[in-house]
Amino acid sequence: MISKSLIPLEPASPAHICPLDQACSYLEAAAKELNLNQGLLEILSHPRKVVTVSIPVKLDDGEIQVLAGHRVQHCDVLGPYKGGIRYHQAVTLREVSALAMLMTWKCALLGIPYGGGKGGIPIDPKRYSIGELERISRRYISELIKDIGPSVDIPAPDMGTSAREMAWMMDTYSVNVGHAVPGVVTGKPLSIGGSLGREMATGRGVMIIVREALADQGKSLAGVRVAIQGFGNVGGAAAELLYEAGAKIIAVSTGAGGIFSEVGLDIPALKIYAAENHKSIVGFPQSVAISNADLLALPCDVLIPAALENQIAEENVNRVQAQIVAEAANGPLTLEASLSLEGRGVIVLPDILANAGGVVVSYLEWVQGLSYVFWDEERVNREMEHLMVQAYHRVIQQSKKRQISLRLAAYTLGVGRVAQALTDRGLYP
Ligand code: NAD
């Protein structure tokens, strides 16, 4: 196991799979396959910078609370750090470090000139007012002001944050440096330099990768039976685009439970229903309620876990009946579950490929911002599709050439590209 002794980590929770251990085991497997030397592996296994700041915030009742805010910058050998900021009660430095590392390989795999970063504040955003969230976001970014910037580290939304938080962060950074700097964050509102197509980007990328995988089997999306866990930004967009392409979405779910329809759900009508019912989907006409556990076990062609990590693990992997599993969330399958599915001939489309559409359009937003030229949505989608399809075929070729799983193929491509850049740049001093 790689040494992580330089990172001041919290103790691992015995009840949960440590996300950083999981990330490191993927890195180790890729390094072994590539025959990387131990020194390179040591460099790549450590983040370059780990920052934890305290965020004092005045609550609406006048009380002061002090929160922790993390930012982990894993590797900038290919370009500025890039990665989301998560507001969720379960955020830990272990998780942020793992997700930062994942971003390094994802950007390298997609061929975009970024390194991996990630940030997070361990709060449940639903327990704070909008005013409190604004003060938290502004103070967090002002504490990190020397560590971020359009050519240094470019945050984006993640779970619990959205375009609204990015606008506050862009404004805070800009006010502090004295001029507008749209390129400091991506996933911004359109009014301040956001990109068309960003909102649907991750779901669109999932649809594209599933479509390519089916095409390799001589099939199209038309009539394919799909079950999707999660109906948020990623799962909702994937459902909509797959539905438009003719797929039959037989089940979707949220944290409050799921719904099933043998003939397929009317996704545009479901979106309206969810918007009118505070995101709740249970009770949607012509559907029956289904648990999240049963959704994962449905007989279907494609299963898309688009909610949380570790949803398919040793205890439930044998119930999965899908022929293709597309990891839309980050880490929804444990390593053991992934190996077990692959052993049964199931195609597992790994997260660093399947959910990369968001970071690709973030990159396109950054390019538009730096060039002061803004594209129409059709061009954004076209450029994104090109990068996603190219990456998909690189992964398939690598998998065939080396006789390895798609996940290991994706990791070897990402890790290999960074290792090559590190070797070419050399070690300073
Ligand atoms: P989101 O908060 O918009 O949506 C999450 C969805 O999951 C919601 O529908 C929620 O109700 C549901 N959910 C929560 N707990 C659940 C449970 N126990 N069982 C079933 N469903 C549950 O988040 P998102 O932006 O869609 O992100 C989802 C995943 O995709 C995360 O792992 C995230 O890191 C990853 N991801 C997101 C993006 C992006 O652009 N948003 C990009 C890459 C990866």
Side-chain angles (χ1 to χ4, degrees):
M1 179 59 67
I2 293 163
S3 139
K4 298 182 288 285
S5 55
L6 300 181
I7 316 172
L9 295 169
E10 324 75 356
S13 156
H16 296 106
I17 298 160
C18 170
L20 188 54
D21 285 348
Q22 185 133 321
C24 287
S25 51
Y26 290 145
L27 168 60
E28 281 179 339
K32 196 169 163 209
E33 176 67 28
L34 293 168
N35 222 353
L36 279 194
N37 77 46
Q38 184 64 22
L40 274 180
L41 177 58
E42 276 291 319
I43 295 173
L44 296 176
S45 67
H46 289 93
R48 178 151 181 225
K49 198 169 189 177
V50 177
V51 188
T52 298
V53 296
S54 53
I55 307 168
V57 55
K58 194 178 267 178
L59 303 178
D60 291 345
D61 64 6
E63 274 206 28
I64 289 174
Q65 198 180 1
V66 183
L67 306 167
H70 306 299
R71 185 78 187 165
V72 175
Q73 298 174 332
H74 176 252
C75 174
D76 68 345
V77 70
L78 291 173
Y81 305 102
K82 184 86 194 84
I85 293 173
R86 182 174 284 198
Y87 289 179
H88 191 277
Q89 55 278 20
V91 161
T92 62
L93 201 47
R94 282 178 186 272
E95 181 189 64
V96 178
S97 304
L99 292 169
M101 187 188 279
L102 201 89
M103 283 300 290
T104 300
W105 318 137
K106 191 184 293 187
C107 294
L109 169 64
L110 269 291
I112 56 183
Y114 286 143
K118 203 79 180 185
I121 304 179
I123 51 165
D124 178 358
K126 290 193 287 300
R127 298 172 73 97
Y128 292 85
S129 70
I130 292 180
E132 289 167 343
L133 287 172
E134 178 170 357
R135 293 194 287 281
I136 292 167
S137 304
R138 287 186 181 278
R139 185 63 191 247
Y140 169 67
I141 225 66
S142 79
E143 292 295 336
L144 290 175
I145 210 101
K146 292 197 172 74
D147 295 298
I148 61 165
S151 52
V152 182
D153 183 354
I154 308 145
D158 194 77
M159 265 156 87
T161 57
S162 64
R164 179 183 69 184
E165 282 73 18
M166 294 307 111
W168 293 331
M169 292 179 185
M170 178 269 186
D171 182 67
T172 303
Y173 184 87
S174 299
V175 168
N176 273 274
V177 300
H179 56 94
V181 187
V184 68
V185 292
T186 59
K188 304 177 286 291
L190 283 178
S191 61
I192 51 171
S195 177
L196 290 165
R198 175 64 183 86
E199 225 176 292
M200 300 286 280
T202 307
R204 184 177 296 281
V206 172
M207 181 274 286
I208 290 168
I209 297 300
V210 169
R211 185 195 68 201
E212 294 300 305
L214 285 165
D216 278 349
Q217 301 182 334
K219 296 182 192 156
S220 79
L221 283 169
V224 155
R225 286 161 59 88
V226 183
I228 305 178
Q229 184 195 43
F231 200 58
N233 178 301
V234 180
E240 191 174 332
L241 294 164
L242 286 162
Y243 174 88
E244 277 173 18
K248 200 191 274 188
I249 315 297
I250 57 165
V252 298
S253 65
T254 69
I259 54 172
F260 168 77
S261 161
E262 181 58 41
V263 293
L265 298 158
D266 179 343
I267 297 298
L270 179 60
K271 286 218 143 173
I272 296 168
Y273 183 88
E276 286 169 353
N277 290 280
H278 308 286
K279 298 191 180 172
S280 174
I281 55 171
V282 180
F284 181 63
Q286 278 143 30
S287 72
V288 292
I290 186 174
S291 70
N292 261 297
D294 287 342
L295 179 144
L296 297 174
L298 283 173
C300 58
D301 301 301
V302 182
L303 175 63
I304 304 182
L308 307 169
E309 55 285 329
N310 299 331
Q311 292 302 292
I312 303 175
E314 257 173 313
E315 53 276 17
N316 64 349
V317 67
N318 288 336
R319 294 189 68 205
V320 172
Q321 299 187 59
Q323 293 309 302
I324 295 178
V325 178
E327 290 190 313
N330 282 317
L333 272 63
T334 64
L335 178 57
E336 293 73 22
S338 193
L339 292 173
S340 159
L341 289 173
E342 284 155 3
R344 276 201 268 141
V346 175
I347 295 172
V348 178
L349 299 166
D351 49 8
I352 63 169
L353 173 68
N355 71 23
V359 72
V360 170
V361 176
S362 272
Y363 162 62
L364 299 175
E365 174 178 334
W366 181 72
V367 167
Q368 292 171 77
L370 293 180
S371 62
Y372 298 94
V373 176
F374 292 90
W375 309 337
D376 60 22
E377 191 164 353
E378 193 267 325
R379 169 143 187 219
V380 174
N381 291 344
R382 184 163 28 94
E383 302 271 357
M384 185 264 254
E385 176 151 351
H386 178 65
L387 290 172
M388 293 292 293
V389 170
Q390 275 190 329
Y392 171 83
H393 289 293
R394 279 198 295 272
V395 170
I396 295 293
Q397 274 165 17
Q398 178 82 329
S399 160
K400 283 186 181 149
K401 189 172 108 192
R402 291 182 174 262
Q403 293 292 299
I404 52 178
S405 69
L406 297 182
R407 185 187 308 282
L408 189 52
Y411 270 80
T412 52
L413 288 168
V415 171
R417 184 154 191 248
V418 177
Q420 185 62 52
L422 201 57
T423 307
D424 291 343
R425 279 180 60 161
L427 197 56
Y428 176 85

